[in-house]
Amino acid sequence: MRIDIVSIFPQYLAPVQLSLVGRAQSDGLIDIEIHDLRDAATDRHRTVDDEPYGGGPGMVMTPEPWGVTLDRLLRPDSLLVVPTPSGRRFDQRTATAWADRRHLVFACGRYEGIDTRVMEYYRPRVDLAEVCIGDYVLAGGEAATLVMVEAVTRLLPGVVGNVQSIVDDSFADGDMESLLEGPVYTRPAKWRGMEVPSILLSGDHGSIARWRRDQAWQRTRQMRPDLPPRGGTSSGPVPD
Ligand code: ADE
């Protein structure tokens, strides 16, 4: 997978060189390039914003630097992603769908956003997703892009060592369906007087799996009562 990220703060995207995403790059599983939008500005001050037509607070990103940059980066098979608080919600299902794409281009807006004609121009020309990562307003699209790049790339084959850890994730569509992950424990077996639940030490894999599903169900009801109960066996607690 190829990922291009356009921003006026290229240094903000430095974390893509670290950790899981960084390793996936050095392993040749993904190829990420970061581009400075200001490289497409034409004036001495490298201006990429202007006052909003109709008045109002803040500045709007001008269309021309975006047009020049996106014309250069986009291919017929690209998905153009525009992070914005006024977009559709990005979730695990979105991440899974995007993991099948060959090329993602993230256009990180700042200020009051990008001149709407940029999205209007590209919508009929490439696949376009205007997405929001949560119901809060960030200062720009960069932090949202980091979130989405990590959510998508960890689903690519070979990026996460243990495939089961993806299947069992909160929100994953595997055995645990859309349950949140339950509690986890490691050594020591007793810490500050608290013991690991004995079932996890029992070696009885069937009982452990049932216990984990039950814990996941309880946690989901407690933390996220808004999540729809899903069909199948995880639609309720495990009977004794
Ligand atoms: N830009 C600013 N806030 C955002 C959000 N919540 N999601 C995506 N992009 C954003």
Side-chain angles (χ1 to χ4, degrees), residues 61-102:
M61 295 186 108
T62 55
E64 189 54 16
W66 281 109
V68 168
T69 307
L70 294 175
D71 282 351
R72 185 167 58 81
L73 295 176
L74 290 169
R75 324 185 302 214
D77 62 347
S78 303
L79 172 67
L80 173 59
V81 181
V82 182
T84 166
S86 55
R88 289 212 174 85
R89 178 64 73 86
F90 173 88
D91 60 14
Q92 190 65 25
R93 195 178 294 263
T94 324
T96 307
W98 292 3
D100 287 332
R101 306 287 308 214
R102 291 176 59 80

Side-chain angles (χ1 to χ4, degrees), residues 19-123:
S19 184
L20 192 92
V21 181
R23 188 154 23 85
Q25 283 191 83
S26 38
D27 289 350
L29 299 169
I30 50 171
D31 176 17
I32 304 183
E33 285 291 330
I34 296 158
H35 310 269
D36 189 344
L37 179 71
R38 290 191 195 280
D39 289 347
T42 49
D43 66 318
R44 209 158 56 86
H45 302 291
R46 307 200 339 136
T47 309
V48 292
D49 63 335
D50 207 334
E51 291 161 1
Y53 275 119
M59 301 290 270
V60 174
M61 295 186 108
T62 55
E64 189 54 16
W66 281 109
V68 168
T69 307
L70 294 175
D71 282 351
R72 185 167 58 81
L73 295 176
L74 290 169
R75 324 185 302 214
D77 62 347
S78 303
L79 172 67
L80 173 59
V81 181
V82 182
T84 166
S86 55
R88 289 212 174 85
R89 178 64 73 86
F90 173 88
D91 60 14
Q92 190 65 25
R93 195 178 294 263
T94 324
T96 307
W98 292 3
D100 287 332
R101 306 287 308 214
R102 291 176 59 80
H103 187 211
L104 304 180
V105 177
F106 288 88
C108 302
R110 281 263 148 185
Y111 318 117
E112 296 302 308
I114 303 171
D115 187 306
T116 302
R117 290 170 293 179
V118 173
M119 279 64 78
E120 271 173 33
Y121 178 83
Y122 288 105
R123 190 172 290 111

Side-chain angles (χ1 to χ4, degrees), residues 83-85 109 131-141 144 148:
T84 166
V131 285
C132 163
I133 63 161
D135 291 341
Y136 39 78
V137 180
L138 303 166
M148 293 188 273

Side-chain angles (χ1 to χ4, degrees), residues 1 3 20-21 30 148-156 159:
M1 175 186 278
I3 300 176
L20 192 92
V21 181
I30 50 171
M148 293 188 273
V149 165
E150 185 162 312
V152 172
T153 56
R154 66 185 290 284
L155 298 176
L156 300 178
V159 171

